[in-house]
Amino acid sequence: DTYHGAFHGPGSRESDSAVLDFSEIYLRRAGEKTDIFFGKALIPAGLSTLYSPVNRFHNLDAKDPADTRELGVWQLGFERFFEANDSLKFVVITHDERVREPRGRSRWLGSTGSYEFTSLDLPAGTTLRRRFPENGADNFGYLLTYKRAAEGADWFVTLHRGFGAFPVVRLDGLDYFSEKIKAWSLAAGFALTRGKGLELHGEAIVQKSDAHRDQDFVRYVLGVNYDETDLAQSLGFEKLKFTVEYAGDDVVSEQSHAGYVANSSKARPFKDTVLWKLTLDLNSKNSLIAGQTYNFDGKDHVVFLGGEHKRTDSVNFRAGLEVYTGADDTHFGRWDRNDRLVGSYTYKF
């Protein structure tokens, strides 16, 4: 039941991945200082390397939640370019689509039976249903971003009005529904290059929901990228790259709307988390990779050990071992019986 149909159109509520589909298909008219675009496209956001809380304005193919694939959203808008590598981008997101997610007896669902929530405190025997917003202008999303890409220092500021990224639970009569609610979001981030091979970055996003239907919260990441050759070559490698990030989530105010019985807290990952990744280049074609994501709040984590072979600039192979550890009601612990060997083949054209 992983794949069903082809070419999911605007506003799709299909939970399965399409046998054949486009991640992006759009038209862009490039002007001297202003570009106009419309179609299905990704909306790149954020500057972090391993995890970006700001990079949330896209759809997802999450049939394999440990290896999600970003999908474009239907949109129209313009981008205005200024001097000194500045730009202003305005996007209207015309459809809110369903994430392609595991269902049925998938081993990725965990004990809640929900891809989104790691745990839920609902009456025994409760079935959590999904409720989707109607398509139409009343539910459009609006995104405004100003950014600068300069030598040694990049930064951005983003304002968003539309549906939040994380669901809440609503009680309607005797039925419980998982739904996303409208909110205002303000985000900003930076990336600074300092010295030889050192880059510092950080970003944050604040979300304020309408009528207190969810918690108001701020999510953030601070991190470092370090590229090094001298030490790597003394150890017999060509180059090493190390990235470490800390991700946090702080609640500003609690959910208080009478019609909602659970906030998005158990659906928001990486609230007190360290992520790291080490890449050792043996030569220009072969690399060894190790990494870990550790949640301090749940004491759960995932470890990856593997390697990559770049056959050409367009073709590469990757393989490794993933190990999940933690309690059943934690983000990675719900998958602790899903340790696996993974492999991928990528061809870019």
Side-chain angles (χ1 to χ4, degrees):
D1 293 334
T2 300
Y3 298 96
H4 181 265
F7 302 114
H8 295 155
S12 171
R13 302 301 183 214
E14 178 61 57
S15 64
D16 290 333
S17 304
V19 177
L20 183 64
D21 204 353
F22 295 102
S23 295
E24 298 184 278
I25 179 169
Y26 62 92
L27 294 175
R28 186 177 184 114
R29 181 185 181 276
E32 184 176 346
K33 291 187 176 182
T34 303
D35 291 0
I36 301 172
F37 51 86
F38 70 92
K40 181 181 180 181
L42 295 170
I43 303 178
L47 293 170
S48 298
T49 305
L50 301 179
Y51 173 66
S52 168
V54 179
N55 188 30
R56 44 170 270 190
F57 307 108
H58 51 251
N59 196 11
L60 278 179
D61 186 331
K63 297 297 285 188
D64 180 348
D67 186 22
T68 59
R69 182 169 60 92
E70 294 181 4
L71 303 174
V73 294
W74 293 95
Q75 61 184 272
L76 57 91
F78 70 86
E79 186 167 14
R80 174 75 174 179
F81 299 94
F82 305 98
E83 301 297 330
N85 298 315
D86 291 19
S87 68
L88 178 69
K89 187 176 184 179
F90 178 69
V91 179
V92 179
I93 302 172
T94 59
H95 294 82
D96 182 80
E97 297 185 3
R98 181 174 185 171
V99 172
R100 317 293 189 249
E101 60 191 27
R103 61 185 178 90
R105 298 182 178 180
S106 172
R107 61 194 176 99
W108 295 106
L109 284 178
S111 61
T112 65
S114 168
Y115 153 72
E116 299 166 312
F117 293 95
T118 57
S119 65
L120 282 172
D121 185 17
L122 299 178
T126 297
T127 298
L128 185 63
R129 304 180 183 181
R130 299 293 297 275
R131 176 175 283 171
F132 301 101
E134 296 181 359
N135 290 316
D138 289 344
N139 288 325
F140 282 3
Y142 303 93
L143 188 70
L144 183 67
T145 299
Y146 191 93
K147 64 181 179 180
R148 169 173 288 185
E151 183 177 354
D154 298 346
W155 58 268
F156 72 89
V157 178
T158 293
L159 178 66
H160 175 253
R161 169 61 183 174
F163 288 100
F166 308 103
V168 296
V169 178
R170 181 175 184 176
L171 177 60
D172 191 350
L174 298 176
D175 297 321
Y176 292 85
F177 293 92
S178 167
E179 64 181 37
K180 293 182 180 179
I181 46 88
K182 287 187 177 181
W184 287 95
S185 297
L186 178 65
F190 69 91
L192 304 174
T193 301
R194 290 291 181 268
K196 182 180 178 181
L198 180 64
E199 186 242 39
L200 311 175
H201 57 265
E203 60 185 66
I205 182 167
V206 181
Q207 178 175 302
K208 179 175 177 55
S209 64
D210 290 2
H212 302 287
R213 291 182 173 92
D214 190 12
Q215 293 175 326
D216 297 334
F217 52 84
V218 55
R219 294 173 59 77
Y220 52 90
V221 161
L222 292 171
V224 177
N225 290 328
Y226 182 60
D227 289 2
E228 210 280 337
T229 55
D230 294 338
L231 174 61
Q233 291 175 2
S234 70
L235 297 174
F237 302 102
E238 185 174 279
K239 181 180 179 181
L240 72 80
K241 180 176 182 180
F242 181 68
T243 300
V244 60
E245 295 179 345
Y246 175 78
D249 180 305
D250 292 334
V251 176
V252 178
S253 64
E254 292 292 343
Q255 180 188 59
S256 59
H257 194 288
Y260 292 82
V261 297
N263 58 51
S264 65
S265 178
K266 296 299 184 179
R268 303 198 305 264
F270 309 153
K271 294 188 292 184
D272 185 15
T273 304
V274 166
L275 310 91
W276 64 267
K277 179 181 178 182
L278 174 65
T279 301
L280 297 171
D281 291 343
L282 302 176
N283 48 52
S284 61
K285 292 185 177 294
N286 300 295
S287 301
L288 299 176
I289 304 170
Q292 181 186 29
T293 301
Y294 184 88
N295 294 314
F296 289 103
D297 52 349
K299 296 181 174 56
D300 59 308
H301 65 105
V302 60
V303 174
F304 176 83
L305 299 171
E308 184 177 50
H309 171 67
K310 298 177 182 178
R311 186 173 181 180
T312 67
D313 290 340
S314 302
V315 178
N316 71 68
F317 304 88
R318 185 172 179 173
L321 171 68
E322 293 175 353
V323 178
Y324 301 90
T325 304
D328 185 60
D329 61 349
T330 60
H331 183 74
F332 294 118
R334 56 181 169 163
W335 303 329
D336 69 351
R337 291 185 293 178
N338 291 359
D339 298 348
R340 60 181 183 171
L341 294 171
V342 295
S344 66
Y345 168 85
T346 302
Y347 174 63
K348 297 179 181 180
F349 59 92

